Amino acid sequence: MLNKIAKRAAMLTASVALAAGGAMVPSVAFAAPTPTGTHATAPSDNNNNNNNNNRGRRANNNNNNNNNNNRGGRANNNNNNNNNNNGGRGANNNNNNNNNGGGGNNNNNNNNNGGRGANNNNNNNNNGGGGNNNNNNNNGGRGANNNNNNNNNGGGGNNNNNNNNNGGRGANNNNNNNNNGGGGNNNNNNNNGGRGANNNNNNNNNGGGGNNNNNNNNNGGRGANNNNNNNNNGGGGNNNNNNNNGGGGNNNNNNNNNGGGGNNNNNNNNG
């Protein structure tokens, strides 16, 4: 009888303690789980793809592609801009601006066919590191054709500028500017078949040795043909300038400046 009374008294005492806010303390401590391994994260790539297809009849075709990638380091910046304009009576304006904090791969393709107005293509590629820049401008309209390609690379760069102007009645103006902090490979190809004057300006500036190929082909133009090729290399350079003219007055200026030994080939053919 006394044992039952003692057990009931103990149970009442415990219940009173819990009601008063007492905490139950576990008899065994539990350790927090530890992670099984560490996981490294690699920087993600930047991929920008812009495709513009216009079949306007009267209005202008305006395509503006702006790609700004602030991520440098090991991330890859890939920018692809494709502008296709067919059959419009107005002007075709294509502006591609690619700004990369690190190295970048930039491909700009501008195709203008059948338009009566002017064709204006502006490609600006700015890379904090080395860059691969490909600019292709194909114009087949009646108006003037203006192609401006600007490639600026903090390190070495591979720059390919192809300007093809066929059938235009106005002037053909091609400006290619390649600036590389290190050695560079620059290929500038300008092909003009219109009636107006043809102006080709190729400027290649390399902090190290460079390989520069400038090919200017002017056929059938009634106006003057002006070809200016400027190659500046901090180290040794290989410079090839080919100017082929079949129209009116022909002016060919080739300037090659090499910090080290260089190979310079200048070919001017005036028909």
Side-chain angles (χ1 to χ4, degrees), residues 68-115:
N68 299 312
N69 302 313
N70 295 323
R71 188 180 291 113
R74 293 176 295 170
N76 295 317
N77 300 312
N78 301 313
N79 303 309
N80 299 311
N81 303 310
N82 299 312
N83 302 312
N84 300 313
N85 303 312
N86 297 312
R89 295 183 182 179
N92 297 314
N93 301 310
N94 301 310
N95 299 310
N96 301 311
N97 299 311
N98 303 310
N99 301 311
N100 302 311
N105 299 312
N106 305 308
N107 298 311
N108 302 310
N109 298 314
N110 302 311
N111 299 314
N112 304 310
N113 297 313

Side-chain angles (χ1 to χ4, degrees), residues 130-216:
N132 298 312
N133 305 308
N134 299 311
N135 302 310
N136 299 312
N137 303 311
N138 300 313
N139 303 311
R142 296 183 185 179
N145 299 311
N146 301 309
N147 302 308
N148 298 310
N149 302 311
N150 299 311
N151 303 311
N152 301 311
N153 303 309
N158 298 312
N159 305 308
N160 298 311
N161 302 310
N162 299 312
N163 302 312
N164 299 313
N165 304 312
N166 297 312
R169 297 179 183 178
N172 297 314
N173 300 310
N174 302 310
N175 299 310
N176 302 311
N177 299 311
N178 303 310
N179 300 312
N180 303 309
N185 298 313
N186 305 308
N187 298 311
N188 302 310
N189 298 313
N190 302 311
N191 300 312
N192 302 312
R195 296 183 185 179
N198 299 312
N199 301 309
N200 302 309
N201 299 310
N202 302 311
N203 299 311
N204 303 311
N205 301 310
N206 303 309
N211 298 312
N212 305 309
N213 298 311
N214 302 311
N215 298 312
N216 301 313

Side-chain angles (χ1 to χ4, degrees), residues 24-30:
M24 298 295 290
V25 179
S27 60
V28 178
F30 293 94

